[in-house]
Amino acid sequence: MSEISARKILLTPVGKLAIVASEVAITELEFLSPKSSLKDFSNSPYAKALVDLAATELGEYFEGKRKQFDLKLEPTGTKFQKQVWLQIQKVPFGETVSYGAIAKALRKPNAARAVGGAVGANPIPILLSLIHISEPT
């Protein structure tokens, strides 16, 4: 797990978010309680620039001006989770795909439930396009 080098708190239409970065990339996007007392901080100019850019891009996304993110992301997870998250990034904006379809794309056709678990464990929601994933009906 990378050390936290910067954090930015952002008020959005979906609530209060904390954008977290290491020296290298965005590592976490956390939904906060409205009463959260977390504050912005930075001990690195580079990491601060990363969280500031992420805040700008998220603002554009919520305004309907952005459909993809141009951010370096480094989520922490297992090898399988990272494979799922990489596959999620390939889903075009506006398209929906099932857990089963992702499992098949990973050549693990019986792993739909595991894909669902990986989707739920994503530490960088929104930025990894989870809005395109659907549960089986």
Side-chain angles (χ1 to χ4, degrees):
M1 183 171 199
S2 301
E3 184 176 323
I4 296 171
S5 297
R7 175 178 56 228
K8 184 168 187 80
I9 308 303
L10 185 66
L11 297 176
T12 74
V14 298
K16 197 179 217 185
L17 301 176
I19 306 165
V20 179
S22 67
E23 282 287 327
V24 193
I26 302 296
T27 58
E28 187 177 349
L29 183 68
E30 181 181 358
F31 289 87
L32 300 175
S33 159
K35 296 179 182 182
S36 172
S37 62
L38 280 178
K39 305 273 186 228
D40 292 359
F41 91 90
S42 174
N43 61 17
S44 158
Y46 181 74
K48 182 181 182 321
L50 285 172
V51 295
D52 287 344
L53 178 60
T56 298
E57 291 194 10
L58 280 164
E60 293 168 353
Y61 172 79
F62 287 120
E63 292 171 359
K65 297 177 183 175
R66 178 174 288 278
K67 295 182 180 180
Q68 65 184 30
F69 297 97
D70 301 315
L71 301 166
K72 183 161 183 189
L73 306 177
E74 189 177 87
T76 300
T78 67
K79 181 180 176 183
F80 178 75
Q81 287 171 331
K82 289 179 180 183
Q83 290 172 339
V84 169
W85 302 332
L86 185 62
Q87 192 65 35
I88 287 168
Q89 289 178 306
K90 296 177 183 177
V91 178
F93 184 83
E95 287 191 23
T96 302
V97 66
S98 70
Y99 297 157
I102 293 172
K104 287 177 187 167
L106 295 173
R107 295 193 171 127
K108 298 180 187 223
N110 296 322
R113 292 181 80 183
V115 166
V119 167
N122 178 2
I124 315 176
I126 303 172
L127 299 178
L128 281 177
S129 301
L130 295 186
I131 56 174
H132 308 301
I133 310 305
S134 68
E135 295 182 45
T137 55

PDB file of all heavy atoms in Angstrom, residues 4-8 39-43 48 51:
ATOM      1  N   ILE A   4       0.097   7.825   1.950  1.00  0.00           N
ATOM      2  CA  ILE A   4      -0.722   8.965   1.559  1.00  0.00           C
ATOM      3  C   ILE A   4       0.142  10.218   1.586  1.00  0.00           C
ATOM      4  O   ILE A   4       0.755  10.548   2.594  1.00  0.00           O
ATOM      5  CB  ILE A   4      -1.923   9.128   2.511  1.00  0.00           C
ATOM      6  CG1 ILE A   4      -2.847   7.917   2.407  1.00  0.00           C
ATOM      7  CG2 ILE A   4      -2.679  10.411   2.211  1.00  0.00           C
ATOM      8  CD1 ILE A   4      -3.940   7.886   3.448  1.00  0.00           C
ATOM      9  N   SER A   5       0.180  10.917   0.451  1.00  0.00           N
ATOM     10  CA  SER A   5       0.973  12.136   0.354  1.00  0.00           C
ATOM     11  C   SER A   5       0.106  13.384   0.235  1.00  0.00           C
ATOM     12  O   SER A   5       0.581  14.493   0.448  1.00  0.00           O
ATOM     13  CB  SER A   5       1.918  12.066  -0.842  1.00  0.00           C
ATOM     14  OG  SER A   5       2.841  11.009  -0.663  1.00  0.00           O
ATOM     15  N   ALA A   6      -1.173  13.194  -0.157  1.00  0.00           N
ATOM     16  CA  ALA A   6      -2.076  14.339  -0.272  1.00  0.00           C
ATOM     17  C   ALA A   6      -3.516  13.850  -0.201  1.00  0.00           C
ATOM     18  O   ALA A   6      -3.825  12.721  -0.587  1.00  0.00           O
ATOM     19  CB  ALA A   6      -1.848  15.087  -1.575  1.00  0.00           C
ATOM     20  N   ARG A   7      -4.368  14.748   0.303  1.00  0.00           N
ATOM     21  CA  ARG A   7      -5.807  14.459   0.361  1.00  0.00           C
ATOM     22  C   ARG A   7      -6.537  15.770   0.087  1.00  0.00           C
ATOM     23  O   ARG A   7      -6.127  16.833   0.548  1.00  0.00           O
ATOM     24  CB  ARG A   7      -6.200  13.934   1.733  1.00  0.00           C
ATOM     25  CG  ARG A   7      -7.700  13.722   1.890  1.00  0.00           C
ATOM     26  CD  ARG A   7      -8.108  13.150   3.232  1.00  0.00           C
ATOM     27  NE  ARG A   7      -7.636  13.985   4.317  1.00  0.00           N
ATOM     28  CZ  ARG A   7      -7.008  13.512   5.390  1.00  0.00           C
ATOM     29  NH1 ARG A   7      -6.759  12.242   5.544  1.00  0.00           N
ATOM     30  NH2 ARG A   7      -6.607  14.343   6.335  1.00  0.00           N
ATOM     31  N   LYS A   8      -7.613  15.665  -0.677  1.00  0.00           N
ATOM     32  CA  LYS A   8      -8.454  16.831  -0.960  1.00  0.00           C
ATOM     33  C   LYS A   8      -9.899  16.429  -0.716  1.00  0.00           C
ATOM     34  O   LYS A   8     -10.349  15.387  -1.188  1.00  0.00           O
ATOM     35  CB  LYS A   8      -8.267  17.312  -2.395  1.00  0.00           C
ATOM     36  CG  LYS A   8      -9.043  18.589  -2.697  1.00  0.00           C
ATOM     37  CD  LYS A   8      -8.604  19.185  -4.009  1.00  0.00           C
ATOM     38  CE  LYS A   8      -9.216  20.529  -4.266  1.00  0.00           C
ATOM     39  NZ  LYS A   8      -8.563  21.619  -3.558  1.00  0.00           N
ATOM     40  N   LYS A  39      -9.698  16.978   6.658  1.00  0.00           N
ATOM     41  CA  LYS A  39      -9.295  18.224   5.999  1.00  0.00           C
ATOM     42  C   LYS A  39      -8.308  17.917   4.862  1.00  0.00           C
ATOM     43  O   LYS A  39      -7.684  16.867   4.828  1.00  0.00           O
ATOM     44  CB  LYS A  39      -8.599  19.159   6.998  1.00  0.00           C
ATOM     45  CG  LYS A  39      -9.409  19.471   8.236  1.00  0.00           C
ATOM     46  CD  LYS A  39     -10.295  20.639   7.996  1.00  0.00           C
ATOM     47  CE  LYS A  39     -10.995  21.038   9.283  1.00  0.00           C
ATOM     48  NZ  LYS A  39     -12.388  21.237   9.145  1.00  0.00           N
ATOM     49  N   ASP A  40      -8.180  18.879   3.969  1.00  0.00           N
ATOM     50  CA  ASP A  40      -7.158  18.789   2.924  1.00  0.00           C
ATOM     51  C   ASP A  40      -5.784  18.779   3.587  1.00  0.00           C
ATOM     52  O   ASP A  40      -5.588  19.417   4.622  1.00  0.00           O
ATOM     53  CB  ASP A  40      -7.210  20.011   2.011  1.00  0.00           C
ATOM     54  CG  ASP A  40      -8.462  20.092   1.153  1.00  0.00           C
ATOM     55  OD1 ASP A  40      -9.315  19.189   1.241  1.00  0.00           O
ATOM     56  OD2 ASP A  40      -8.587  21.064   0.391  1.00  0.00           O
ATOM     57  N   PHE A  41      -4.864  18.039   2.987  1.00  0.00           N
ATOM     58  CA  PHE A  41      -3.474  18.127   3.417  1.00  0.00           C
ATOM     59  C   PHE A  41      -2.577  17.674   2.284  1.00  0.00           C
ATOM     60  O   PHE A  41      -3.006  16.977   1.362  1.00  0.00           O
ATOM     61  CB  PHE A  41      -3.210  17.308   4.693  1.00  0.00           C
ATOM     62  CG  PHE A  41      -2.786  15.891   4.449  1.00  0.00           C
ATOM     63  CD1 PHE A  41      -1.444  15.569   4.311  1.00  0.00           C
ATOM     64  CD2 PHE A  41      -3.728  14.882   4.333  1.00  0.00           C
ATOM     65  CE1 PHE A  41      -1.052  14.259   4.074  1.00  0.00           C
ATOM     66  CE2 PHE A  41      -3.340  13.579   4.090  1.00  0.00           C
ATOM     67  CZ  PHE A  41      -2.006  13.266   3.961  1.00  0.00           C
ATOM     68  N   SER A  42      -1.320  18.089   2.354  1.00  0.00           N
ATOM     69  CA  SER A  42      -0.340  17.657   1.364  1.00  0.00           C
ATOM     70  C   SER A  42       1.060  17.809   1.946  1.00  0.00           C
ATOM     71  O   SER A  42       1.368  18.803   2.581  1.00  0.00           O
ATOM     72  CB  SER A  42      -0.444  18.501   0.100  1.00  0.00           C
ATOM     73  OG  SER A  42       0.604  18.163  -0.786  1.00  0.00           O
ATOM     74  N   ASN A  43       1.879  16.780   1.712  1.00  0.00           N
ATOM     75  CA  ASN A  43       3.292  16.901   2.059  1.00  0.00           C
ATOM     76  C   ASN A  43       4.154  16.732   0.813  1.00  0.00           C
ATOM     77  O   ASN A  43       5.329  16.457   0.901  1.00  0.00           O
ATOM     78  CB  ASN A  43       3.689  15.918   3.178  1.00  0.00           C
ATOM     79  CG  ASN A  43       3.476  14.470   2.795  1.00  0.00           C
ATOM     80  OD1 ASN A  43       3.330  14.144   1.626  1.00  0.00           O
ATOM     81  ND2 ASN A  43       3.449  13.596   3.780  1.00  0.00           N
ATOM     82  N   LYS A  48      -0.154  16.863  -4.411  1.00  0.00           N
ATOM     83  CA  LYS A  48      -1.171  17.915  -4.341  1.00  0.00           C
ATOM     84  C   LYS A  48      -1.703  18.212  -5.738  1.00  0.00           C
ATOM     85  O   LYS A  48      -2.915  18.376  -5.939  1.00  0.00           O
ATOM     86  CB  LYS A  48      -0.613  19.185  -3.706  1.00  0.00           C
ATOM     87  CG  LYS A  48      -1.684  20.279  -3.579  1.00  0.00           C
ATOM     88  CD  LYS A  48      -1.132  21.538  -2.967  1.00  0.00           C
ATOM     89  CE  LYS A  48      -2.174  22.616  -2.774  1.00  0.00           C
ATOM     90  NZ  LYS A  48      -3.169  22.789  -3.797  1.00  0.00           N
ATOM     91  N   VAL A  51      -4.234  15.441  -6.697  1.00  0.00           N
ATOM     92  CA  VAL A  51      -5.572  15.541  -6.104  1.00  0.00           C
ATOM     93  C   VAL A  51      -6.307  16.769  -6.633  1.00  0.00           C
ATOM     94  O   VAL A  51      -7.534  16.723  -6.809  1.00  0.00           O
ATOM     95  CB  VAL A  51      -5.556  15.503  -4.552  1.00  0.00           C
ATOM     96  CG1 VAL A  51      -5.068  14.148  -4.054  1.00  0.00           C
ATOM     97  CG2 VAL A  51      -4.782  16.637  -3.946  1.00  0.00           C
TER      98      VAL A  51
END
